[in-house]
């Protein structure tokens, strides 16, 4: 994800911020311009970006920056916005809705089919954390230009979310995080860090986050949209295997017997070895991890350089937008050195690896396949 600054005072702000911590300006993310920006409310009650702007990226030359800003101000029309219904109503969102739209909710929130039971203590805070991660997911989906159909637009298989708690489920019925024909269910108890960490340990997982759940489950949704409905099953099966194998039996066998001993030679995670659908979803999730992290590294100007024992130089210099890179090999050339550096820094702080995965050749080939499918989807949409 790119970095953001308050367009009134220049203070660096996070994607999740709704108020500038320096000048107190109201902040909102405007999906039509893909930026978090300061907003001012007019007498008509509508929100607009301020006329004056300050440098949003200290890593760029001041002269070039202000030239671009002045150019934007000359070419971009003044747009007005309303706060998303979940921004003004519950403050669990910070996205805006163009006033030209009849939608009450923003691009991310309008896919919600069921929100948590807010009458139960603590659920509002859990919902806030869930939405925070979901908006990061939608940032990537919008940047990739992927199709996003709601249940109103596609009642059969449109994308929808249900956020439920085991406490509100019928007696004896578990709430499982998963996907079914466009509906992604997430157990909100996972928004409790202690609960999530306990499950991570119980399931022998090295990585378990809310954002990871979203990126994994949306992978199942896009398997339907891009592979099944896109008539790409043959190419998929050649690389991931035949998804027609009994899914429930495969999962039961995985949990009973664990992953095969050589899973690291062929899969991105142990769970990916359970079934071709899970192999795809894990690869999809990691693809989003990679793009989002590389974009952040590019915006901070992060460069990695390390001399190897054989005298060669390993470098990561992500100066280009990873969302626009055609050749996936270029992405890997930056990703592998960057993650080694990030993991080394994390270990120096006594923490677990930030990216606790080893990418084998077959796993990288699957990631490249995901990249090719996404690029192909964008070309079709452009045509």
């Amino acid at each position: 994800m790119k970095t953001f600054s308050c367009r009134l005072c220049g203070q660096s702000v996070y994607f999740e911020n709704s108020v500038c911590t320096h000048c107190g300006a109201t902040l909102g993310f405007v999906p039509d311009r893909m930026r978090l920006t300061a907003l001012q409310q007019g007498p008509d009650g509508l929100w607009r970006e301020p006329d004056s702007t300050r440098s949003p990226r200290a890593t760029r030359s001041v002269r070039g920056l202000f030239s671009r800003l002045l150019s934007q101000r000359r070419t971009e029309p003044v747009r007005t916005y309303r706060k998303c219904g979940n921004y003004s109503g519950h403050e669990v969102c910070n996205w805006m809705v163009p006033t030209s739209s009849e939608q009450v909710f923003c691009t991310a929130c309008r896919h919600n089919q069921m929100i948590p039971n807010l009458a139960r203590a603590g659920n509002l805070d859990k919902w806030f954390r869930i939405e925070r991660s979901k908006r990061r997911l939608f940032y990537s989906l919008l940047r990739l230009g992927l199709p996003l159909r709601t249940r109103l637009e596609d009642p059969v298989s449109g994308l929808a979310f249900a956020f439920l708690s085991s406490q509100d489920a019928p007696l004896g019925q578990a709430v499982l995080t998963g996907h079914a024909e466009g509906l992604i269910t997430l157990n909100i108890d996972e928004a409790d860090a202690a609960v999530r960490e306990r499950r991570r340990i119980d399931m022998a997982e090295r990585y378990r986050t809310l954002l990871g759940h979203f990126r994994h489950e949306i992978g199942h949704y896009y398997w339907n949209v891009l592979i099944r409905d896109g008539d790409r099953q043959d190419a998929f099966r050649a690389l991931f295997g035949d998804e027609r194998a009994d899914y429930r039996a495969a999962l039961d066998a995985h949990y009973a017997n664990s992953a095969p001993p050589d899973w690291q030679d062929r899969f991105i995670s142990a769970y990916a070895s359970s079934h071709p659908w899970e192999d795809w979803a894990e690869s999809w999730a990691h693809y989003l991890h990679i793009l989002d992290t590389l974009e952040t590294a590019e915006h901070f100007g992060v460069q990695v350089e390390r001399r190897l024992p054989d005298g060669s130089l390993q470098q990561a210099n992500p100066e280009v937008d990873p969302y626009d890179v055609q050749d996936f090999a270029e992405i890997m050339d930056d990703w592998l050195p960057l993650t080694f550096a990030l993991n080394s820094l994390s270990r120096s702080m006594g923490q677990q690896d930030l990216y606790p995965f080893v990418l084998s050749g077959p796993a990288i080939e699957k990631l490249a396949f995901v990249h090719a499918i996404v690029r192909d989807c964008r070309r079709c949409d452009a045509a």
Side-chain angles (χ1 to χ4, degrees):
M1 175 172 289
K2 65 178 70 174
T3 57
F4 302 98
S5 296
C6 175
R7 291 172 69 86
L8 274 179
C9 70
Q11 172 75 13
S12 295
V13 293
Y14 289 106
F15 177 66
E16 296 82 5
N17 289 155
S18 57
V19 176
C20 175
T21 56
H22 181 259
C23 70
T26 294
L27 302 177
F29 184 77
V30 288
D32 52 333
R33 288 176 167 169
M34 292 300 290
R35 66 188 181 213
L36 183 71
T37 182
L39 295 161
Q40 295 175 326
Q41 192 171 29
D44 56 3
L46 302 180
W47 294 88
R48 298 168 176 81
E49 292 190 70
D51 291 334
S52 61
T53 54
R54 295 287 296 275
S55 170
R57 289 182 68 183
T59 58
R60 298 292 189 253
S61 71
V62 174
R63 179 179 298 176
L65 171 64
F66 276 92
S67 175
R68 287 193 297 274
L69 288 175
L70 289 173
S71 174
Q72 289 175 356
R73 290 174 62 188
R74 285 194 299 267
T75 60
E76 291 183 352
V78 175
R79 303 182 191 182
T80 57
Y81 301 91
R82 299 186 306 272
K83 287 184 175 182
C84 169
N86 286 333
Y87 190 168
S88 58
H90 301 288
E91 297 186 352
V92 297
C93 180
N94 67 341
W95 283 28
M96 308 300 291
V97 180
T99 53
S100 58
S101 170
E102 296 180 356
Q103 297 285 346
V104 174
F105 297 103
C106 70
T107 303
C109 288
R110 70 185 57 150
H111 290 271
N112 288 354
Q113 180 171 293
M114 183 175 294
I115 66 171
N117 174 11
L118 300 183
R120 188 177 295 280
N123 277 5
L124 179 61
D125 184 56
K126 290 179 181 178
W127 186 27
F128 171 81
R129 289 180 230 162
I130 288 169
E131 291 291 347
R132 182 173 59 190
S133 293
K134 194 187 79 180
R135 291 196 301 277
R136 282 190 172 261
L137 168 70
F138 270 80
Y139 172 90
S140 295
L141 303 182
L142 292 171
R143 289 244 38 213
L144 290 171
L146 291 167
L148 289 166
R149 295 188 294 273
T150 66
R151 283 296 210 209
L152 288 177
E153 295 165 324
D154 183 354
V156 176
S157 56
L159 178 63
F161 296 89
F163 303 131
L164 307 172
S165 170
S166 300
Q167 294 176 300
D168 295 309
L171 187 63
Q173 182 176 327
V175 174
L176 301 178
T177 293
H179 167 268
E181 286 300 325
L183 177 63
I184 293 175
T185 300
L186 193 144
N187 187 330
I188 69 166
D189 298 337
E190 289 261 348
D192 184 318
V195 171
R196 190 171 61 253
E197 179 65 8
R198 187 162 55 249
R199 290 178 181 174
R200 185 188 70 80
I201 294 173
D202 290 345
M203 300 183 74
E205 296 176 346
R206 299 194 67 188
Y207 175 92
R208 190 180 182 92
T209 66
L210 289 176
L211 183 54
H213 283 323
F214 276 118
R215 287 174 172 167
H216 176 97
E217 300 304 336
I218 204 75
H220 288 297
Y221 170 73
Y222 281 112
W223 189 92
N224 289 353
V225 174
L226 302 179
I227 304 298
R228 184 193 67 187
D229 300 343
D231 196 25
R232 297 182 174 97
Q233 291 98 322
D234 289 343
F236 170 83
R237 289 166 188 162
L239 195 57
F240 290 85
D242 194 337
E243 82 288 350
R244 291 169 293 188
D246 189 298
Y247 179 68
R248 178 46 54 191
L251 289 190
D252 289 345
H254 172 75
Y255 288 122
N257 306 318
S258 72
D262 64 343
W263 69 263
Q264 288 184 315
D265 297 334
R266 295 176 289 135
F267 302 97
I268 206 163
S269 69
Y271 188 55
S273 69
S274 63
H275 189 275
W277 278 339
E278 298 303 341
D279 195 6
W280 163 269
E282 285 288 86
S283 299
W284 181 278
H286 282 257
Y287 177 66
L288 296 187
H289 291 334
I290 290 168
L291 293 190
D292 205 30
T293 305
L294 283 178
E295 187 184 31
T296 304
E298 186 272 330
H299 264 246
F300 275 102
V302 174
Q303 298 184 26
V304 175
E305 183 174 299
R306 184 170 71 101
R307 184 71 63 181
L308 299 178
D310 62 3
S312 62
L313 197 63
Q314 187 181 54
Q315 293 178 299
N317 188 20
E319 292 184 337
V320 297
D321 185 343
Y323 286 98
D324 290 332
V325 172
Q326 296 280 350
D327 186 357
F328 188 71
E330 295 180 22
I331 293 176
M332 281 293 98
D333 286 344
D334 285 328
W335 181 245
L336 295 177
L338 177 65
T339 52
F340 185 81
L342 292 175
N343 287 346
S344 298
L345 290 169
S346 188
R347 292 185 183 196
S348 292
M349 290 291 293
Q351 299 293 326
Q352 66 178 9
D353 287 349
L354 190 64
Y355 185 73
F357 303 95
V358 176
L359 298 181
S360 64
I364 292 174
E365 188 177 0
K366 293 168 186 175
L367 289 168
F369 179 82
V370 173
H371 181 70
I373 294 295
V374 170
R375 299 297 302 181
D376 188 48
C377 174
R378 296 174 78 174
R379 282 193 296 270
C380 291
D381 287 347

